[in-house]
Amino acid sequence: MSKAIKFGLGGILAILLIGFLVLTMSVDSIVKTGIETVGSEMTGTAVTVERVSISPFSGSGTISGFRVENPDGFEQDYALEIDDFSIELNILSLFKDEIVVRNIKVVSPSIYVEQKMPENNLRTIMNNIESVSSGEASEKSLVIEHFIMTEGSADLYTQIGGERSARVEIAQIELNDLGRGGAQQAVEDVIKEIAEKVVNQSLRAAAESGAEQIQDAIRDFFN
């Protein structure tokens, strides 16, 4: 094989490798930036992700270090922490008007419920989310074909009647075909649907818990 042919093959391989690396970094960056930008805009607090690793071929990957900070005025650092969750999406849809996510699986999320007079942190965040209009945080639409959250727990904190805390388990949450319908559904509307389910489930678990030392102090505020 001549030097010219070897050089040509080497050049093609180098270009393919560079293209693969650029595509990989591009997909990871698009997802990370999208989560942090739209999430922060909607919750009214900082939403951060440590790392995104998604295959540009299969669309499957992991999002690590997902955190939603508490609003100002609350003592705990975060309202929600997820060490890792899996995601499978249609890669090409990232570059279109409608993003299609085939599956999101969240295992063992940590949710922190902090009650103060007259509000709690999750309701404060949910109020911010509900105040965002469709298309305000993102011009894209979103479809999530399957979402499941399992083995969740909520840590409860209140200083009403003295400082108290407890931990409760959250029932499994499973949603299908979010954003599907006769018309495209904005990113904001799909996120609202998931957030409302998670928040309501967390607060219901807190209000119905057997943690007698705090349930009487906080039940009325979860309604």
Side-chain angles (χ1 to χ4, degrees), residues 5-27:
I5 294 176
K6 288 181 178 179
F7 179 79
L9 291 175
I12 292 172
L13 290 174
I15 291 172
L16 291 174
L17 178 59
I18 292 171
F20 171 75
L21 292 174
V22 169
L23 179 59
T24 299
M25 289 186 291
S26 176
V27 168

Side-chain angles (χ1 to χ4, degrees), residues 31-102:
V31 174
K32 185 177 188 296
T33 300
I35 291 173
E36 293 181 336
T37 301
V38 176
S40 298
E41 179 73 21
M42 292 192 67
T43 61
T45 186
V47 174
T48 57
V49 173
E50 287 183 1
R51 186 172 63 88
V52 174
S53 179
I54 296 175
S55 167
F57 299 114
S58 67
S60 299
T62 303
I63 295 172
S64 304
F66 177 86
R67 295 183 177 88
V68 179
E69 288 189 7
N70 253 334
D72 291 340
F74 292 91
E75 300 298 325
Q76 305 302 312
D77 291 333
Y78 301 106
L80 171 65
E81 286 187 286
I82 305 173
D83 290 336
D84 299 283
F85 68 88
S86 63
I87 185 170
E88 181 184 352
L89 51 80
N90 182 327
I91 291 294
L92 293 180
S93 72
L94 291 175
F95 307 96
K96 298 180 180 180
D97 292 335
E98 182 180 76
I99 299 172
V100 178
V101 180
R102 298 191 180 97

Side-chain angles (χ1 to χ4, degrees), residues 24-205:
T24 299
M25 289 186 291
S26 176
V27 168
D28 292 348
S29 178
I30 289 172
V31 174
K32 185 177 188 296
T33 300
I35 291 173
E36 293 181 336
T37 301
V38 176
S40 298
E41 179 73 21
M42 292 192 67
T43 61
T45 186
V47 174
T48 57
V49 173
E50 287 183 1
R51 186 172 63 88
V52 174
S53 179
I54 296 175
S55 167
F57 299 114
S58 67
S60 299
T62 303
I63 295 172
S64 304
F66 177 86
R67 295 183 177 88
V68 179
E69 288 189 7
N70 253 334
D72 291 340
F74 292 91
E75 300 298 325
Q76 305 302 312
D77 291 333
Y78 301 106
L80 171 65
E81 286 187 286
I82 305 173
D83 290 336
D84 299 283
F85 68 88
S86 63
I87 185 170
E88 181 184 352
L89 51 80
N90 182 327
I91 291 294
L92 293 180
S93 72
L94 291 175
F95 307 96
K96 298 180 180 180
D97 292 335
E98 182 180 76
I99 299 172
V100 178
V101 180
R102 298 191 180 97
N103 187 55
I104 294 177
K105 183 177 182 180
V106 180
V107 179
S108 301
S110 297
I111 299 170
Y112 303 93
V113 182
E114 185 175 347
Q115 182 65 52
K116 287 191 171 186
M117 292 288 287
E119 192 55 277
N120 65 69
N121 60 331
L122 296 191
R123 279 296 176 210
T124 300
I125 290 174
M126 197 64 218
N127 289 341
N128 289 331
I129 290 174
E130 291 173 343
S131 71
V132 177
S133 303
S134 298
E136 184 176 337
S138 173
E139 296 179 354
K140 292 181 178 290
S141 60
L142 175 64
V143 169
I144 300 178
E145 296 176 350
H146 183 240
F147 172 91
I148 186 167
M149 188 183 89
T150 64
E151 301 176 27
S153 64
D155 289 295
L156 319 176
Y157 301 91
T158 181
Q159 293 183 355
I160 300 172
E163 185 172 348
R164 304 169 185 179
S165 65
R167 171 171 288 191
V168 297
E169 302 303 314
I170 302 173
Q172 175 176 297
I173 296 173
E174 187 167 11
L175 302 168
N176 293 291
D177 295 325
L178 297 167
R180 293 285 192 201
Q184 291 182 322
Q185 195 166 348
V187 169
E188 293 82 358
D189 296 328
V190 175
I191 292 175
K192 285 178 187 178
E193 193 169 347
I194 294 175
E196 183 175 13
K197 189 72 173 180
V198 172
V199 167
N200 286 344
Q201 198 84 319
S202 301
L203 297 183
R204 186 178 298 111

